[in-house]
Amino acid sequence: QSTWGLLEKKKIMNSILEKLQVEWKEDLFSRVIPFWSKNSLDKDFGGYFTCLDSDGSVFDDRKYVWLQGREVFMFSHLFIESSKFENVTREERISWLENARHGVEFMRKAMDDKGLVWFSLSRDGNTRLHYQRKPYAAVFLVMGFLEFGAALSIAKEENFDLSNFTISSTTYLKLALDLFSKVQEWIADPTKCGGQSTSGSSTRLADLMCEGVLAVQFLERIPENISKDVGLDREIMLSLIKNSMNKVQSHVDPSRKIFLEVFYEYLLSFLISFV
């Protein structure tokens, strides 16, 4: 294909993407964020309603922990990234951080005395309803605590009024790191969170992605000058990222152009023996 033809295609694609960017931004700020800000916050017990109908009515008031973590992450992330957007006021930004605060303390109720993280809670968070025996609910708590801690630190640097925020950003960053250590333990040995024992020679794609992506987020959100204060070893995080990237490649099936969820080293050795 000619260079001129490729340039024309690129020009058309850029035009489409620019229009979509405007549309998505308008949809985000005029519909999506207002909808969740208005209907999702549980003002009686904290946390969020996440099972909402199109009119905002609640059809299930149970608190699903992975969604609590996601919403804390969403509002915290919005606060951080919206500094780049035009026509977003400081009042709007601090309201999103307040929305994140509304859920971040509720998330602690998902952690029991043994340090395990439950999958769902009653509306008030005082009754733990369902335990999944997997580390993934905890993964979303890590994301929520980390992003909120980072947002709180940035808010302080930008001189926002944080009189309603009584807990320091470092507390949440440390909490995220401590919980991440537990997630790593549960991935290495699922029996520690009630799961089934797995072969030491097998890896799960989801586990590799969780470890690798969270390590990236820790390095992005925690500046070097406070790494020691919160207990972040940046070399260990870099090693985790490299390890995840290397192992993910073994999950690729190039013939079918897919990723395999589970990779068994012993099966690969068995097949190679016949070659």
Side-chain angles (χ1 to χ4, degrees):
Q1 192 173 12
S2 68
T3 303
W4 182 87
L6 290 173
L7 290 173
E8 279 300 303
K9 280 191 174 182
K10 184 177 180 181
K11 184 178 179 181
I12 293 170
M13 182 58 68
N14 286 340
S15 176
I16 292 172
L17 290 175
E18 287 173 3
K19 290 178 181 178
L20 287 174
Q21 184 182 42
V22 172
E23 181 181 332
W24 290 339
K25 186 176 178 181
E26 171 66 21
D27 196 41
L28 175 67
F29 288 108
S30 66
R31 297 182 59 216
V32 177
I33 299 303
F35 176 87
W36 288 95
S37 296
K38 177 183 177 182
N39 301 304
S40 183
L41 277 65
D42 184 345
K43 296 181 180 179
D44 294 322
F45 295 105
Y48 311 105
F49 299 118
T50 56
C51 299
L52 305 176
D53 214 329
S54 57
D55 62 357
S57 58
V58 179
F59 62 84
D60 183 353
D61 65 6
R62 284 173 290 186
K63 304 286 177 62
Y64 296 92
V65 173
W66 63 288
L67 291 173
Q68 301 297 307
R70 277 189 171 187
E71 197 153 340
V72 169
F73 174 89
M74 178 191 74
F75 282 120
S76 302
H77 189 73
L78 187 62
F79 170 83
I80 295 171
E81 296 301 321
S82 60
S83 63
K84 306 171 185 176
F85 302 149
E86 295 179 359
N87 302 321
V88 174
T89 66
R90 285 175 65 87
E91 289 73 20
E92 287 176 308
R93 291 184 67 209
I94 196 63
S95 73
W96 297 328
L97 192 58
E98 286 280 3
N99 288 351
R101 182 177 70 87
H102 196 82
V104 73
E105 282 305 304
F106 184 88
M107 293 198 307
R108 289 177 183 255
K109 294 185 176 183
M111 297 183 285
D112 65 19
D113 296 337
K114 297 178 181 179
L116 299 173
V117 176
W118 286 63
F119 180 77
S120 64
L121 310 173
S122 60
R123 179 184 173 186
D124 60 11
N126 293 329
T127 303
R128 299 182 179 102
L129 301 175
H130 176 58
Y131 184 70
Q132 200 179 30
R133 295 182 174 84
K134 295 178 181 179
Y136 306 123
V139 167
F140 289 102
L141 292 196
V142 173
M143 293 175 65
F145 287 134
L146 173 59
E147 199 74 359
F148 182 77
L152 204 54
S153 179
I154 291 170
K156 184 177 180 180
E157 292 175 1
E158 296 182 5
N159 297 314
F160 278 89
D161 178 8
L162 299 178
S163 55
N164 291 335
F165 298 78
T166 57
I167 302 177
S168 70
S169 60
T170 55
T171 298
Y172 293 108
L173 297 176
K174 288 179 180 178
L175 187 57
L177 278 165
D178 289 344
L179 190 52
F180 180 50
S181 294
K182 285 190 171 295
V183 168
Q184 290 178 280
E185 287 182 25
W186 297 333
I187 287 174
D189 183 1
T191 62
K192 290 186 176 181
C193 64
Q196 293 183 337
S197 177
T198 58
S199 167
S201 60
S202 67
T203 56
R204 291 189 177 276
L205 185 61
D207 294 341
L208 295 173
M209 292 176 66
C210 285
E211 286 189 306
V213 170
L214 286 175
V216 169
Q217 287 184 297
F218 276 112
L219 292 180
E220 285 185 341
R221 289 307 189 208
I222 300 180
E224 286 192 47
N225 62 329
I226 66 166
S227 292
K228 289 185 178 180
D229 295 337
V230 299
L232 175 67
D233 189 320
R234 304 185 76 84
E235 290 301 318
I236 288 178
M237 291 297 168
L238 284 171
S239 178
L240 271 175
I241 295 168
K242 292 177 183 177
N243 180 63
S244 295
M245 290 175 66
N246 289 334
K247 287 189 175 180
V248 161
Q249 294 179 52
S250 64
H251 287 254
V252 178
D253 183 340
S255 63
R256 291 184 288 172
K257 298 181 179 179
I258 61 171
F259 283 90
L260 302 174
E261 169 57 24
V262 183
F263 171 73
Y264 298 97
E265 289 184 11
Y266 73 85
L267 180 59
L268 178 63
S269 300
F270 175 76
L271 293 174
I272 290 176
S273 67
F274 286 91
V275 176

